[in-house]
Amino acid sequence: MYGVCGCCGALRPRYKRLVDNIFPEDPEDGLVKTNMEKLTFYALSAPEKLDRIGAYLSERLIRDVSRHRYGYVCIAMEALDQLLMACHCQSINLFVESFLKMVAKLLESEKPNLQILGTNSFVKFANIEEDTPSYHRSYDFFVSRFSEMCHSSHDDLDIRTKIRMSGIKGLQGVVRKTVNDELQANIWDPQHMDKIVPSLLFNLQHVEESESRSPSPLQATEKEKESPTELAERCLRELLGRAAYGNIKNAIKPVLIHLDNHSLWEPKIFATCCFRIIMYSIQPQHSHLVIQQLLGHLDANSKSAATVRAGIVEVLSEAAVIAASGSVGPTVLEVFNTLLRQLRLSIDYALTGSYDCGAGVSTKIIKEHEERMFQEAVIKTIGSFASTLPTYQQSEVMVFIMNKVPLPSTQQSIDAGKAGENRNRLTQIMLLKSLLQVSVGFQCSNMLTALPSVFLDRLLSAALMEDAEIRLFVLEILISFIDRHGNRQKFSTISTISDISVLKLKVDKCSRQDTVFMKKHGQQLYRHIYLICKEENNVQAHYEALYSMLMLISIELANEEVMVDLIRLVLAVQEIAQINEDNLTAYNRCALFALGAAYLNLISQLTTVPTFCQHIHEVIQMRQKEAPYMLPEDVFVERPRLSKSLDRLGPEVFFWQSKISEVLGGSGYNSDRLSTPYVPQLTDEDRLSKRKSIGETISLQVEVESRNSPEREQRAPAEEITYETLKKAIDSVAVEEQERERRRQVVEKFQKAPFEEIAAHCGARATLLQSKLNQIFEITIRPPPSPSGTITAAYGQPQNHSIPVYEMKFPDLCVY
């Protein structure tokens, strides 16, 4: 009976008759609008029939597809779209199921037009906000199919472009439909991200020939909008912009895998472009998650080719710069630890020629120049990271890097043997390069904060090493710290200019913090400058760095006391070249003379003392006439003009300490300090620095006031140098051994001797010390005798002088 009624149109259900009426006899006439309005009104009036309408439309569409009646297929999809836009009732879920079934049928078709039609309908559906949630809807098929369309390889270029664009739009629709609905399938799951992200990257990577041609200016914007590349970029930005904290990892991992699988790290252009899009699209507070992903990927590729690792590191550098406005995370030192570890591994690879670091023969050929490129990329990245950090974290990072530098003066493990020495040297150079990159971008007005003692001591220890390149790096690092007003480049060339105003120096008054810093560390800096000047393997770059450092200290950190000490230091450097106890070459001696002349020429103009300027100017003029090889214009050139007769120079070509003390003392400077030659003190650091004759040289100079000064002929030596004095200086090592043995015996005695014996010994020492103190107090309290023996007061009573304690001049015995 049901079959008979089905054959009679008048007896069919009303919703079927309304659906049939929207289809015209000729499909080219399109949808019958009046009948479509009736169907829409019926669906709104009887929402319980909506699921049946959808099922019947789906049935007709599947039949029309199989019969290749594509005109009716288009009409059915148009009707579905209008019903979706109009109906938002609670029973729409079943209708949507029918709709998605029809869209899937179109996407499965081999006809590009049907695929595009189904995608467009799905995109319209994705933009609809549904009133009721769905608990069982799945989009797995659509993610897979749209991803497949993104990789279309159709022979026709135009059709291929349209299919790929439809696939990208479909993925964008899936994301919009699911990303904010907690009841839907989680689009951030790896199974979905592993399809969506590579599909978008594939279209970003492949630019078709028609897109690469330069269109006319009027068509450029329209053409750009039509390209899959631009559409894929917009979709990727939208996807990443919606990512929450817990989803960043799943979104970034497919990017890294895609770049690995397609070898896109080595050119690095596409990889950099991808991560620039990523960093600008995600929320700023999530930036450090991307950086951590890159660091982990770098560790995972530790044994990959150097070009691959260099590409990862350079992408990391770009990402760090962009992340400056957001956050680089709380684990800052872990970032630098990873980079420094990779730097050390690269050094080992370059030395051993194997990724197994000597454990076996590697099948990969390691090219040293590629490892060097990787090392430079790591150093650049360290600087980029550091520039994004606040000042206090930059200080921590610099201390962290400096503690990694292997120094012979510390208890740090030093590799032995020839290979170990090479490894240590390369490690020292690379870490100091990294430190220089950090210090260049470091800006801090307080030098005590910028150069803490724990950092400065280790840095200056490196300045005493024999390697000339390492010493130069230390000087450059110190210069970058001291130069806070950008005066460094103005002293890049050593010269004796007559007018300092042409340099346009930026000079500020020395602050209280700078004064405290120089009181604490000034002598330490002077001493290392003095010792660096004595090195035989110094080249022009070293003298230029020393000149810059002396001038920057004079400008940035100098008060009157510091200025006096710097002048004494430069005169002591002149003395090194004049006496030549270290057997320096003619170039080194002439360079030291020229360095002193250039510095004193500028410092005299800074002090603005006319008599001082006059003396310096007279000596420079005399050198120009008689000894031009003692001036920077003849020394610091491509072909220096030197002289071997430096030991027969007259006194008129030297700067005289007595003369400078006289002219500056008349202007209020401390003449007593100026007249005292500068003599550095010997420390344990010198004994551990692999130097020769430093200890002996300084030991001979201790307690000798000015034996080696230019005017030494005018004054008697402070004491006679005898055979015993020389023997003691040479046998200083034996004396130290005896002192250590004596200390060991004292410690052993206090550990093992009975308490009564120790108490008696200490009591005797205390009694002796007390008696000595009583003698000192009697001497200091007793007044000095007057010429008449006593002073008579007005009433005739003898009365002793009462001198206030703060005016007393205590004898040397009081100084302990």
Side-chain angles (χ1 to χ4, degrees):
M1 187 65 183
Y2 177 78
V4 174
C5 294
C7 296
C8 182
L11 297 178
R12 300 182 69 197
R14 186 182 179 190
Y15 73 90
K16 286 188 176 182
R17 285 186 277 119
L18 291 173
V19 170
D20 290 337
N21 291 337
I22 66 173
F23 291 94
E25 293 183 3
D26 187 357
E28 294 183 1
D29 293 340
L31 183 68
V32 181
K33 293 183 179 181
T34 54
N35 293 336
M36 186 63 213
E37 290 175 359
K38 294 178 182 179
L39 178 62
T40 304
F41 180 77
Y42 176 78
L44 292 173
S45 303
E48 68 277 3
K49 300 291 186 180
L50 189 60
D51 57 331
R52 298 184 183 182
I53 294 173
Y56 183 61
L57 274 170
S58 175
E59 180 185 339
R60 286 204 53 152
L61 182 136
I62 293 172
R63 185 175 66 245
D64 291 335
V65 168
S66 61
R67 295 177 180 179
H68 304 289
R69 300 169 64 181
Y70 300 124
Y72 289 122
V73 171
C74 295
I75 293 173
M77 291 307 301
E78 185 179 355
L80 282 170
D81 293 341
Q82 291 190 24
L83 287 174
L84 275 174
M85 298 297 292
C87 303
H88 295 279
C89 58
Q90 294 183 355
S91 58
I92 197 175
N93 279 330
L94 295 176
F95 176 73
V96 170
E97 292 298 327
S98 300
F99 168 78
L100 293 179
K101 183 179 179 182
M102 288 183 278
V103 171
K105 184 66 177 179
L106 294 179
L107 294 176
E108 288 174 347
S109 172
E110 296 180 358
K111 298 290 183 180
N113 291 337
L114 295 184
Q115 297 175 12
I116 296 171
L117 178 64
T119 303
N120 292 338
S121 295
F122 182 85
V123 171
K124 293 176 183 178
F125 161 70
N127 292 327
I128 297 174
E129 294 185 6
E130 299 182 52
D131 296 337
T132 55
S134 174
Y135 296 90
H136 57 280
R137 194 179 300 164
S138 174
Y139 295 97
D140 292 359
F141 167 79
F142 295 99
V143 172
S144 300
R145 183 56 183 156
F146 288 138
S147 298
E148 185 180 348
M149 291 170 65
C150 289
H151 292 82
S152 173
S153 57
H154 198 279
D155 296 334
D156 191 325
L157 178 60
D158 291 334
I159 295 177
R160 181 166 70 240
T161 301
K162 290 179 180 179
I163 294 176
R164 289 185 179 181
M165 291 184 67
S166 294
I168 298 169
K169 290 177 182 178
L171 291 177
Q172 191 176 28
V174 173
V175 171
R176 288 178 179 175
K177 198 65 181 174
T178 59
V179 73
N180 292 324
D181 193 346
E182 297 179 357
L183 299 175
Q184 304 289 352
N186 190 0
I187 200 67
W188 301 106
D189 286 343
Q191 58 180 350
H192 299 308
M193 285 290 105
D194 290 345
K195 297 174 183 177
I196 295 174
V197 174
S199 301
L200 299 177
L201 294 178
F202 176 80
N203 285 277
L204 272 175
Q205 177 187 352
H206 291 82
V207 180
E208 301 295 348
E209 294 179 3
S210 61
E211 299 173 28
S212 60
R213 298 170 190 160
S214 21
S216 63
L218 295 176
Q219 298 175 347
T221 305
E222 195 65 29
K223 189 71 178 177
E224 193 174 303
K225 289 181 180 178
E226 295 175 355
S227 69
T229 303
E230 179 66 20
L231 188 60
E233 181 178 342
R234 287 204 305 269
C235 183
L236 183 62
R237 289 182 183 275
E238 182 178 348
L239 175 68
L240 295 169
R242 296 172 180 266
Y245 181 87
N247 302 326
I248 293 292
K249 182 178 180 180
N250 290 342
I252 301 302
K253 188 176 180 181
V255 178
L256 300 174
I257 295 175
H258 181 83
L259 296 175
D260 285 342
N261 293 340
H262 295 273
S263 302
L264 296 174
W265 291 111
E266 297 179 26
K268 82 182 178 181
I269 299 173
F270 178 73
T272 304
C273 175
C274 285
F275 276 90
R276 191 177 292 118
I277 292 172
I278 292 170
M279 297 304 294
Y280 281 119
S281 300
I282 63 175
Q283 300 177 37
Q285 64 269 25
H286 299 158
S287 299
H288 68 279
L289 295 176
V290 180
I291 292 174
Q292 287 179 358
Q293 286 281 96
L294 282 169
L295 287 170
H297 197 66
L298 179 61
D299 278 339
N301 285 272
S302 294
K303 295 186 178 181
S304 298
T307 51
V308 174
R309 286 178 282 130
I312 298 174
V313 168
E314 293 195 20
V315 170
L316 193 59
S317 176
E318 293 281 343
V321 174
I322 299 172
S325 59
S327 167
V328 292
T331 56
V332 173
L333 293 182
E334 290 184 11
V335 173
F336 289 93
N337 193 31
T338 300
L339 292 173
L340 294 179
R341 181 171 63 251
Q342 291 296 326
L343 196 60
R344 185 64 183 261
L345 283 174
S346 177
I347 292 172
D348 290 338
Y349 294 159
L351 289 174
T352 61
S354 168
Y355 286 120
D356 298 328
C357 298
V361 179
S362 176
T363 57
K364 297 181 181 179
I365 300 175
I366 294 179
K367 298 179 181 178
E368 189 174 351
H369 73 278
E370 291 182 353
E371 291 295 337
R372 186 62 55 87
M373 289 174 56
F374 169 72
Q375 293 162 13
E376 295 295 334
V378 171
I379 292 170
K380 176 187 172 184
T381 303
I382 288 174
S384 300
F385 263 114
S387 64
T388 66
L389 301 176
T391 303
Y392 76 94
Q393 282 188 329
Q394 287 183 352
S395 299
E396 292 177 358
V397 167
M398 287 186 289
V399 173
F400 179 77
I401 295 175
M402 195 65 226
N403 287 336
K404 296 282 186 179
V405 179
L407 298 175
S409 58
T410 63
Q411 297 180 354
Q412 194 167 333
S413 61
I414 301 295
D415 299 332
K418 185 69 175 178
E421 290 180 4
N422 292 336
R423 181 176 291 106
N424 288 330
R425 180 182 178 276
L426 287 174
T427 304
Q428 290 160 353
I429 290 175
M430 291 303 166
L431 291 177
L432 289 174
K433 271 187 178 181
S434 305
L435 192 58
L436 180 60
Q437 282 287 327
V438 179
S439 64
V440 167
F442 182 74
Q443 293 293 332
C444 182
S445 58
N446 189 347
M447 292 299 296
L448 286 170
T449 304
L451 291 171
S453 298
V454 64
F455 173 78
L456 186 61
D457 292 344
R458 288 185 59 85
L459 182 62
L460 292 178
S461 295
L464 296 181
M465 301 184 72
E466 293 179 349
D467 193 281
E469 190 174 2
I470 291 176
R471 292 200 308 275
L472 185 58
F473 277 124
V474 173
L475 289 173
E476 293 291 343
I477 291 168
L478 289 171
I479 288 169
S480 64
F481 279 116
I482 298 172
D483 182 23
R484 294 170 293 181
H485 294 87
N487 292 315
R488 166 73 171 93
Q489 295 302 322
K490 298 169 185 177
F491 303 118
S492 58
T493 303
I494 307 178
S495 62
T496 53
I497 60 175
S498 57
D499 186 7
I500 197 175
S501 61
V502 299
L503 296 178
K504 297 180 180 179
L505 300 175
K506 298 177 182 179
V507 183
D508 285 342
K509 186 178 179 181
C510 182
S511 64
R512 187 179 65 85
Q513 292 88 349
D514 293 340
T515 303
V516 174
F517 173 80
M518 291 306 292
K519 282 185 177 294
K520 186 176 181 181
H521 300 293
Q523 294 302 323
Q524 193 179 9
L525 288 174
Y526 305 150
R527 176 175 163 275
H528 285 80
I529 292 174
Y530 180 86
L531 294 177
I532 292 173
C533 290
K534 295 167 71 74
E535 291 292 339
E536 298 179 7
N537 56 354
N538 286 339
V539 296
Q540 180 175 339
H542 292 85
Y543 296 113
E544 290 174 348
L546 287 167
Y547 174 68
S548 298
M549 187 170 177
L550 288 169
M551 286 307 306
L552 289 171
I553 293 175
S554 305
I555 293 173
E556 298 279 353
L557 305 172
N559 51 21
E560 182 179 320
E561 182 180 349
V562 173
M563 199 74 76
V564 169
D565 286 341
L566 289 172
I567 293 173
R568 293 172 59 226
L569 173 63
V570 172
L571 292 173
V573 170
Q574 176 187 253
E575 188 177 330
I576 294 173
Q578 184 183 7
I579 305 304
N580 197 23
E581 291 182 346
D582 299 286
N583 295 322
L584 298 176
T585 64
Y587 174 79
N588 294 127
R589 297 177 69 185
C590 291
L592 291 179
F593 285 133
L595 174 65
Y599 174 75
L600 291 174
N601 174 59
L602 287 186
I603 205 67
S604 64
Q605 298 181 54
L606 281 177
T607 56
T608 64
V609 178
T611 51
F612 184 31
C613 295
Q614 182 181 357
H615 171 64
I616 302 301
H617 185 62
E618 288 174 355
V619 175
I620 291 176
Q621 281 188 329
M622 191 59 64
R623 289 187 179 184
Q624 289 172 347
K625 294 179 182 178
E626 299 184 3
Y629 44 83
M630 299 175 72
L631 293 175
E633 286 77 10
D634 278 29
V635 178
F636 301 117
V637 291
E638 185 176 353
R639 294 182 179 179
R641 291 183 287 274
L642 309 176
S643 173
K644 296 182 179 179
S645 59
L646 295 174
D647 295 326
R648 297 191 295 271
L649 295 171
E652 65 277 358
V653 296
F654 295 105
F655 300 102
W656 290 74
Q657 188 157 3
S658 59
K659 180 66 175 178
I660 293 176
S661 174
E662 177 185 346
V663 296
L664 288 180
S667 299
Y669 288 83
N670 189 340
S671 58
D672 292 339
R673 191 172 182 85
L674 273 169
S675 60
T676 305
Y678 173 77
V679 179
Q681 299 300 315
L682 177 65
T683 65
D684 292 337
E685 189 178 26
D686 297 316
R687 302 186 184 102
L688 295 171
S689 62
K690 297 184 179 180
R691 291 174 168 274
K692 296 179 180 179
S693 76
I694 289 181
E696 292 82 350
T697 302
I698 299 179
S699 297
L700 288 173
Q701 291 175 341
V702 173
E703 302 297 334
V704 181
E705 182 181 359
S706 59
R707 176 172 61 87
N708 295 328
S709 61
E711 56 265 47
R712 62 193 180 281
E713 297 86 356
Q714 299 181 2
R715 294 199 299 268
E719 67 175 344
E720 184 179 359
I721 305 299
T722 63
Y723 171 77
E724 293 297 330
T725 307
L726 294 173
K727 185 177 179 182
K728 289 179 182 179
I730 295 172
D731 296 340
S732 60
V733 177
V735 173
E736 291 174 11
E737 292 292 338
Q738 295 175 3
E739 180 67 18
R740 280 197 290 270
E741 179 64 22
R742 188 186 67 80
R743 291 179 180 177
R744 188 191 63 77
Q745 292 175 358
V746 171
V747 171
E748 185 177 355
K749 178 181 179 181
F750 273 85
Q751 288 176 344
K752 298 180 179 180
F755 174 76
E756 292 79 7
E757 182 182 345
I758 296 173
H761 176 73
C762 294
R765 295 287 299 272
T767 306
L768 179 63
L769 178 61
Q770 185 63 41
S771 64
K772 293 290 184 182
L773 288 174
N774 291 337
Q775 294 176 12
I776 293 171
F777 290 149
E778 289 179 5
I779 295 172
T780 56
I781 296 174
R782 185 182 305 148
S786 63
S788 59
T790 58
I791 299 175
T792 306
Y795 297 98
Q797 300 290 334
Q799 183 175 344
N800 291 333
H801 268 301
S802 178
I803 303 175
V805 175
Y806 56 83
E807 292 183 359
M808 291 181 183
K809 185 176 182 182
F810 290 91
D812 294 340
L813 290 175
C814 290
V815 181
Y816 179 70

